[in-house]
Amino acid sequence: MGLIRILLSVFSLVFRTLESVGFLWDFSVRLSEFIYGKQRGAIVSGPSNPILKLPAKDIVQYIKQRRMTCVEVTQAFIDRIHEVNPLINAVVADRFHEALEEARGIDKVLDSSELNDEKSVLMTKPLLGVPVTVKESLACKGFPHSAGLVDRKNTIATKNANVVENLLRAGAIPIAVTNCSELCMWWETANNVYGRTNNPYDTSKIAGGSSGGEGAIISAAGSVCGVGSDVGGSVRMPAFFNGIFGHKPSPSIVPNQGHFPKGTSEAFDEYLVMGPLCRYADDLILMLKAMAGPRLHELRLDEEIDLSSLKVYTLDIEGPFLTSPVEPDILMALRQVCSFLQERYDATVQDTHMSLFQYSPLIWSATVHAAENNRFASQNLSNESEALAINPFTEIFKYVLGYSKYHYVTLTIAGIEQVRAPLPNCLPDVASNFVKMGVELREEIQTLLGEDAILLYPSHPSTALSHHRPSLAPFNFSYTSIFNVLHLPVTQCPLGLDRNGLPLGIQIVAGRNNDRLSIAVAKQLERHFGGWDSCYPGKNSQKKQI
């Protein structure tokens, strides 16, 4: 491992040097402008309808108290989607007509003077009348279910994913499905079925991935809450880039059934989780309860949290190998969070050294691919029961010529999987070493966090990048992905804007099944730093900067 560490250090040094002098970035900008033309970003205007600014918990109460109708709420969000979607391209299919019909049905029952069984049942539903959106990779009956793959563009879901069924039972009204990256494999949301999703704070910037459509439409007040999937940060990165809250739950709490692409092993189902994205921290618990399966009780979400004994850890490492250094504004935001928790709750704040975090990209990659026998991309590009239906190397050549129907990241991963299989036996041994490191790190951090501690960790090394730039820093998703293989719950919390008017944020990590602690801390940070409400798109006069 000594030789590997030396090589990684050299690669990281070269990568960061090139990035710091701007060589790769300048080349990328010029190439992008040559291919796509010069881009000028727009800012999505803030919502004017007061309904659009309400959290889900208030909407539910107002509907039940008949202070507003379900139709009013649903129509407000439909109108907002019509207004903002041409700019951000987040919603890719809708059921506006059906949603309004369902809203009218709810209003009819609630307006009845009789207290019948149907009305009594509706009054118990925790998300009654709340319009929600769902990532297109999750099956919603009657909706496209392609995960951005051209070969699946005509695939229509015949039944709902379990998590969607759970939301329906809670009274939510799905109004649309949203864009994702092809096969959910990249942290910029773009594919050859629906195109690219833009950031509402600046449309020349990425919305993140793979749940970028959810992050963008919720941030732009076109949806109250939404559902994303996360195997490497696909809930948290879009939440970060778009200035909203996102939560990666502890494993096996929210059902994965109905998601495409899907894994084939129980181990992979521990890494892939479905999580809520919301504008307000209070809605995270509401959504998590509604989305969860029969193991919800393990989270003890209704237990009171005493933050007076909180322990706060930060990592004193520079950052994982092969990733960019963290920007100063993000580090400043992290320090301000530490200071606030110290002053407000007398929390103990301490740097901790976990050297294995340096190997985050390799630990995640080795662990996830070991769970799927190194064939995740290959099996999901194939037909249901056939072997790999494409030659990724031929397709890469076609991509260079502009003729491939696949995204280059998907092809790269599929190509690596094919090349790796026949290589010498030493490579599986190297990969298994990184898997063992992951197990060791999982045990170490779980012992550290226990029941009363959190880890504060950057959500990403930079705020939202310009389109196409993630290709220059492909491993930067490691800041989020490592926690999937560590089985830990993580809440992404917005923290105002950086000097360029783009959202800042922080990951709040807690011990397994201690989701209530990371969410409780996020609620306090929202009260102090303002959350989405202090910096939503278009609110230029009230932007809060760190």
Side-chain angles (χ1 to χ4, degrees):
M1 294 305 293
L3 177 60
I4 291 176
R5 184 185 178 112
I6 292 171
L7 289 174
L8 286 172
S9 298
V10 171
F11 289 149
S12 291
L13 179 62
V14 170
F15 169 78
R16 290 185 172 185
T17 301
L18 288 172
E19 188 179 54
S20 66
V21 300
F23 172 78
L24 289 174
W25 174 227
D26 289 341
F27 174 77
S28 166
V29 170
R30 292 191 182 98
L31 181 63
S32 176
E33 288 178 354
F34 175 76
I35 297 173
Y36 301 100
K38 290 189 177 182
Q39 299 172 333
R40 294 181 179 178
I43 299 175
V44 172
S45 60
S48 56
N49 187 333
I51 291 175
L52 299 174
K53 301 174 187 177
L54 294 173
K57 65 183 184 65
D58 288 353
I59 288 174
V60 172
Q61 290 307 311
Y62 292 163
I63 288 174
K64 289 180 179 180
Q65 295 165 2
R66 309 313 290 144
R67 294 170 59 183
M68 62 177 58
T69 68
C70 195
V71 168
E72 281 181 288
V73 174
T74 305
Q75 188 64 60
F77 284 93
I78 290 173
D79 291 344
R80 180 65 173 174
I81 290 173
H82 283 309
E83 179 186 354
V84 303
N85 205 54
L87 278 175
I88 60 176
N89 189 37
V91 166
V92 296
D94 67 72
R95 59 187 301 271
F96 294 157
H97 176 74
E98 296 87 343
L100 285 169
E101 285 299 308
E102 290 166 15
R104 289 188 190 99
I106 291 172
D107 286 336
K108 183 178 179 180
V109 174
L110 294 181
D111 287 334
S112 169
S113 56
E114 298 179 10
L115 182 60
N116 52 37
D117 289 344
E118 190 177 7
K119 187 172 183 178
S120 298
V121 169
L122 284 183
M123 294 296 286
T124 66
K125 292 183 180 290
L127 286 174
L128 182 64
V130 174
V132 297
T133 43
V134 179
K135 187 178 182 178
E136 197 259 20
S137 59
L138 273 158
C140 291
K141 187 176 180 179
F143 275 117
H145 188 213
S146 70
L149 195 63
V150 170
D151 287 340
R152 286 177 58 94
K153 67 180 179 181
N154 296 320
T155 301
I156 303 297
T158 55
K159 63 178 183 178
N160 289 319
N162 289 19
V163 66
V164 176
E165 280 295 322
N166 291 346
L167 287 170
L168 289 170
R169 277 193 290 270
I173 300 178
I175 56 174
V177 293
T178 56
N179 205 13
C180 61
S181 55
E182 185 178 273
L183 288 179
C184 303
M185 284 190 178
W186 191 227
W187 53 278
E188 176 171 13
T189 292
N191 58 66
N192 291 327
V193 179
Y194 304 117
R196 185 182 68 204
T197 296
N198 302 318
N199 191 306
Y201 288 86
D202 179 346
T203 55
S204 72
K205 307 297 184 186
I206 65 172
S210 60
S211 309
E214 281 301 306
I217 199 63
I218 293 168
S219 174
S223 174
V224 183
C225 302
V227 183
S229 58
D230 190 315
V231 75
S234 290
V235 162
R236 288 159 288 151
M237 282 185 289
F240 168 66
F241 291 136
N242 293 282
I244 61 174
F245 292 88
H247 183 71
K248 184 200 88 66
S250 294
S252 304
I253 301 298
V254 179
N256 290 344
Q257 292 88 343
H259 186 270
F260 181 85
K262 60 183 179 181
T264 59
S265 68
E266 289 184 13
F268 187 83
D269 279 342
E270 291 271 285
Y271 312 137
L272 173 66
V273 294
M274 308 299 117
L277 294 95
C278 309
R279 288 174 297 162
Y280 300 103
D282 277 344
D283 289 340
L284 290 174
I285 293 283
L286 192 64
M287 280 289 286
L288 189 53
K289 284 182 176 180
M291 292 165 59
R295 295 179 59 177
L296 173 64
H297 65 277
E298 295 179 19
L299 301 189
R300 298 175 288 156
L301 293 177
D302 292 324
E303 285 190 11
E304 298 243 352
I305 296 289
D306 180 10
L307 296 181
S308 62
S309 58
L310 184 67
K311 298 173 188 171
V312 178
Y313 291 100
T314 58
L315 287 179
D316 62 2
I317 63 168
E318 184 177 304
F321 289 125
L322 307 174
T323 64
S324 307
V326 181
E327 290 181 347
D329 282 355
I330 294 173
L331 292 175
M332 175 64 74
L334 189 155
R335 287 192 289 269
Q336 290 194 347
V337 169
C338 291
S339 298
F340 164 71
L341 293 174
Q342 275 182 313
E343 294 167 10
R344 178 74 172 79
Y345 296 103
D346 198 27
T348 2
V349 178
Q350 180 181 340
D351 280 344
T352 184
H353 185 74
M354 292 186 177
S355 58
L356 292 180
F357 261 92
Q358 295 174 87
Y359 300 99
S360 292
L362 299 170
I363 289 173
W364 179 87
S365 179
T367 304
V368 168
H369 282 89
E372 289 299 284
N373 197 24
N374 199 52
R375 57 189 176 86
F376 183 72
S378 304
Q379 73 190 10
N380 284 298
L381 281 173
S382 66
N383 296 324
E384 291 295 327
S385 57
E386 297 178 10
L388 180 63
I390 68 162
N391 182 324
F393 308 107
T394 302
E395 290 294 333
I396 288 172
F397 179 70
K398 288 166 66 177
Y399 179 88
V400 172
L401 298 178
Y403 290 106
S404 178
K405 58 187 175 182
Y406 301 103
H407 193 278
Y408 71 90
V409 171
T410 309
L411 296 174
T412 302
I413 296 171
I416 290 171
E417 290 177 357
Q418 278 206 347
V419 166
R420 185 179 182 276
L423 287 179
N425 292 332
C426 62
L427 285 183
D429 291 339
V430 172
S432 67
N433 281 332
F434 288 115
V435 173
K436 290 174 185 173
M437 284 184 187
V439 174
E440 182 183 337
L441 182 57
R442 187 186 306 156
E443 293 170 353
E444 182 182 0
I445 194 169
Q446 181 61 55
T447 301
L448 178 77
L449 295 177
E451 287 289 314
D452 59 355
I454 59 169
L455 171 71
L456 296 177
Y457 198 63
S459 307
H460 202 76
S462 68
T463 51
L465 299 170
S466 298
H467 292 299
H468 314 296
R469 196 184 175 191
S471 305
L472 301 176
F475 299 107
N476 280 359
F477 75 97
S478 304
Y479 282 82
T480 51
S481 66
I482 187 62
F483 299 110
N484 292 74
V485 296
L486 298 182
H487 296 168
L488 300 175
V490 187
T491 305
Q492 151 60 33
C493 178
L495 295 172
L497 303 175
D498 71 359
R499 66 194 69 189
N500 298 313
L502 295 171
L504 292 163
I506 195 72
Q507 289 187 95
I508 307 164
V509 185
R512 181 165 182 166
N513 289 351
N514 205 12
D515 302 52
R516 62 193 181 281
L517 178 59
S518 64
I519 294 174
V521 172
K523 288 181 181 180
Q524 299 309 313
L525 298 185
E526 178 183 35
R527 291 190 181 107
H528 182 72
F529 292 97
W532 172 85
D533 193 52
S534 73
C535 58
Y536 59 75
K539 195 173 180 179
N540 294 314
S541 62
Q542 299 181 48
K543 285 183 177 179
K544 180 173 183 176
Q545 295 191 352
I546 295 292

